[in-house]
Amino acid sequence: MANIIVIGMQWGDEGKGKIVDLLTEFAHVVVRFQGGNNAGHTVVVGQQKVILHLIPSGALYPQKKCVIGNGVVVDPQVLLAEIDELQKRGYFKDDDQLLISEDAHLIMPYHRRMDVARERMKGEGKIGTTGRGIGPAYEDKVARDGIRVGDLCNPKIFRKKLEATLAFKNPCLETCLQDKGFNLETIFQEYNGYGERLKKYVTDISVFINNRIKEGQHILLEGAQGTHLDVDHGTYPFVTSSNTVAGGACTGAGIGPTKITEVIGVSKAYTTRVGEGPFPTELKDEVGERMRERGREFGATTGRPRRCGWLDIPLLRDAIRLNGLTGIALTKMDVLSEFETLKICTSYRHRDERCQEVPSSIEVLQECVPAYEEIPGWKGEMRNARDFKDLPPQAQDYVRRIEELTATEVILVSVGERREETILRRNPFERGPCLS
Ligand code: IMP
């Protein structure tokens, strides 16, 4: 049995799509367990670049099952567009390749409008959301006012729930948010069409996944966003609205924690963040600009430029603790080539105190100053490195230093965007259950 969770260790965009795509080769089932189409996973296969927002990266392997778990919020219009696009490119030919949880909550048009209107009203204090309706959809779920994918498959129930919800949402939009309300009939007709097309994929995914586990199949659980965007453990309120940490994989896919064998954290060799919120190692100078250019750091979902900065070890240490990580996949090493000197933030200083962990209060975190150690950079192309020893010695030292500072093994180093541009030092699917 090898059931592995892959999560982001920073603020999202760590390159999880590529890592999941690589590891999918060894798994039978790939599951998304939280978030929605706020995520954007870029996978490069041959000459093709595919950006997936909702469907797990396993979609590019015809024989793998792709599951959208109950913890995900589903915008059916986006999901159907993604299915159509994949089919147009020759993937996803069999309907039984995709399974969608009947318990996953729907993103409705009023969620998107509320998300955007609220950000507008917050002005300077905005979160910098993706505007996809993620927060409002999760709010309705927790408030027990949500409409689920299973409801969409039953027009009578769907209409009744929609009617009750609009009676509350429309006045809220019109009065509190000074925006427009929605027409019941228009949404009903549109969503009914989505339900007709999606119902063949809808099932109890917890039963499906657990049966596969009993048969000895391998499950890969694919996280979206990153640890520090977690609604409980992240830089609140500048977070997303789901549990992005490994614990979210169990609730969001309906499997027990005893079934998980490894948790792999993905981290860039430096740090990026999209949207607002504290970022101690952010570089607002030409070094940060160079990182953005070299790393092509623009959001896969919104196209926004990502804020860039040096690698932040306290962030990674927190991620290791919060997720119980058993290994790190280090991505975008090639982006750091050509920098004379590199800096690693080993701790923060807050007034007279040294902090090894990320403080919970963002007011404190905003005042933290990173303490850096400098290490020599390296030059030259490293995309052809396939073995750790092929890396320039300084790059090897950089990886070893990260291992020392985090006390965690770097199991994979990514040196380019293609599948083959990877140094796999240990394959988590080829090890038995982790006992540590
Ligand atoms: P929301 O998830 O759209 O509500 O956005 C909340 C915060 O999470 C914003 O700062 C977004 O930029 C950030 N965010 C959401 N999804 C992603 C992602 O996939 N990568 C990076 N940041 C994200």
Side-chain angles (χ1 to χ4, degrees):
M1 172 173 89
N3 303 316
I4 293 169
I5 303 173
V6 174
I7 52 91
M9 295 177 75
Q10 298 161 313
W11 283 293
D13 308 317
E14 296 91 350
K16 294 177 293 294
K18 172 179 165 173
I19 307 305
V20 170
D21 175 58
L22 271 169
L23 293 178
T24 295
E25 192 182 335
F26 309 96
H28 300 89
V29 180
V30 189
V31 188
R32 263 289 300 272
F33 56 84
Q34 46 71 226
N37 58 310
N38 46 351
H41 290 169
T42 309
V43 185
V44 179
V45 188
Q47 297 308 312
Q48 290 196 61
K49 190 179 244 185
V50 185
I51 299 179
L52 300 169
H53 297 287
L54 270 170
I55 295 180
S57 313
L60 307 184
Y61 293 79
Q63 67 283 25
K64 313 286 174 178
K65 299 287 183 198
C66 293
V67 178
I68 296 182
N70 53 280
V72 175
V73 282
V74 177
D75 186 325
Q77 186 184 17
V78 174
L79 177 58
L80 283 163
E82 208 159 289
I83 294 171
D84 289 344
E85 178 63 21
L86 281 168
Q87 286 178 337
K88 213 167 74 194
R89 289 172 178 240
Y91 301 109
F92 245 46
K93 292 209 179 99
D94 286 334
D95 286 344
D96 66 356
Q97 201 190 339
L98 177 67
L99 298 97
I100 307 169
S101 168
E102 55 200 351
D103 295 338
H105 279 249
L106 292 172
I107 296 183
M108 303 296 292
Y110 43 83
H111 292 139
R112 288 192 296 265
R113 196 169 285 175
M114 284 181 151
D115 193 359
V116 174
R118 272 207 313 231
E119 285 280 272
R120 194 175 55 230
M121 288 195 87
K122 280 185 175 164
E124 290 273 285
K126 72 175 196 282
I127 293 187
T129 72
T130 57
R132 303 296 194 260
I134 306 296
Y138 276 116
E139 280 168 43
D140 276 0
K141 170 177 172 169
V142 177
R144 293 156 296 181
D145 280 333
I147 307 181
R148 303 196 286 184
V149 169
D151 301 326
L152 193 62
C153 303
N154 184 327
K156 246 192 183 157
I157 294 177
F158 179 65
R159 190 182 178 96
K160 205 168 143 210
K161 292 199 172 179
L162 182 62
E163 202 167 357
T165 306
L166 280 184
F168 178 75
K169 296 288 175 199
N170 277 344
C172 191
L173 268 163
E174 287 155 4
T175 314
C176 302
L177 295 169
Q178 283 133 43
D179 215 314
K180 284 190 301 218
F182 285 91
N183 177 274
L184 168 73
E185 215 50 55
T186 313
I187 301 188
F188 178 73
Q189 291 307 332
E190 180 188 338
Y191 272 63
N192 212 18
Y194 300 149
E196 274 303 310
R197 285 196 60 199
L198 287 176
K199 66 182 178 201
K200 60 187 171 199
Y201 304 112
V202 178
T203 189
D204 184 329
I205 61 106
S206 170
V207 170
F208 173 81
I209 298 170
N210 282 281
N211 281 342
R212 294 293 168 128
I213 292 175
K214 271 189 215 145
E215 288 164 18
Q217 294 202 350
H218 297 174
I219 316 294
L220 181 56
L221 297 132
E222 169 182 357
Q225 291 87 43
T227 299
H228 299 279
L229 286 174
D230 183 279
V231 68
D232 283 278
H233 302 287
T235 44
Y236 191 90
F238 298 101
V239 292
T240 190
S241 299
S242 60
N243 281 117
T244 58
V245 294
C250 293
T251 52
I255 58 176
T258 49
K259 300 289 189 288
I260 304 300
T261 51
E262 282 222 41
V263 186
I264 303 301
V266 185
S267 169
K268 272 181 192 158
Y270 48 99
T271 313
T272 64
R273 174 164 205 168
V274 210
E276 310 303 316
F279 180 174
T281 64
E282 181 171 13
L283 292 164
K284 292 182 176 163
D285 56 8
E286 66 282 2
V287 181
E289 191 54 49
R290 230 169 115 202
M291 266 182 200
R292 186 173 309 114
E293 268 166 34
R294 284 188 59 81
R296 278 178 271 137
E297 295 295 354
F298 296 90
T301 299
T302 57
R304 291 181 287 179
R306 295 178 184 142
R307 300 154 65 192
C308 297
W310 296 118
L311 188 67
D312 183 330
I313 296 292
L315 277 193
L316 302 195
R317 277 198 209 108
D318 263 31
I320 289 161
R321 186 187 70 248
L322 291 164
N323 296 291
L325 292 191
T326 54
I328 297 175
L330 194 67
T331 60
K332 296 193 122 175
M333 265 299 273
D334 52 307
V335 174
L336 291 187
S337 294
E338 309 300 328
F339 285 85
E340 261 330 290
T341 316
L342 301 171
K343 289 187 185 178
I344 300 180
C345 164
T346 52
S347 62
Y348 306 139
R349 195 175 305 279
H350 181 252
R351 298 183 186 164
D352 289 333
E353 256 178 62
R354 186 180 280 273
C355 320
Q356 301 285 353
E357 323 284 337
V358 182
S360 149
S361 145
I362 58 154
E363 287 77 17
V364 175
L365 184 58
Q366 249 142 3
E367 288 177 6
C368 279
V369 179
Y372 288 114
E373 71 178 37
E374 292 200 6
I375 75 163
W378 58 87
K379 293 214 181 300
E381 186 55 75
M382 58 163 66
R383 286 178 171 243
N384 295 326
R386 296 293 174 266
D387 192 278
F388 192 66
K389 290 190 208 77
D390 299 337
L391 290 175
Q394 297 90 335
Q396 294 182 29
D397 289 346
Y398 189 73
V399 175
R400 284 198 203 96
R401 188 68 188 128
I402 294 169
E403 291 186 314
E404 274 166 23
L405 289 166
T406 59
T408 307
E409 177 192 18
V410 171
I411 63 156
L412 181 155
V413 182
S414 170
V415 291
E417 60 185 5
R418 296 177 187 283
R419 267 183 195 164
E420 60 278 13
E421 290 168 341
T422 310
I423 299 167
L424 186 59
R425 302 172 82 196
R426 177 174 73 75
N427 182 344
F429 279 107
E430 284 171 5
R431 186 165 103 169
C434 173
L435 301 174
S436 63

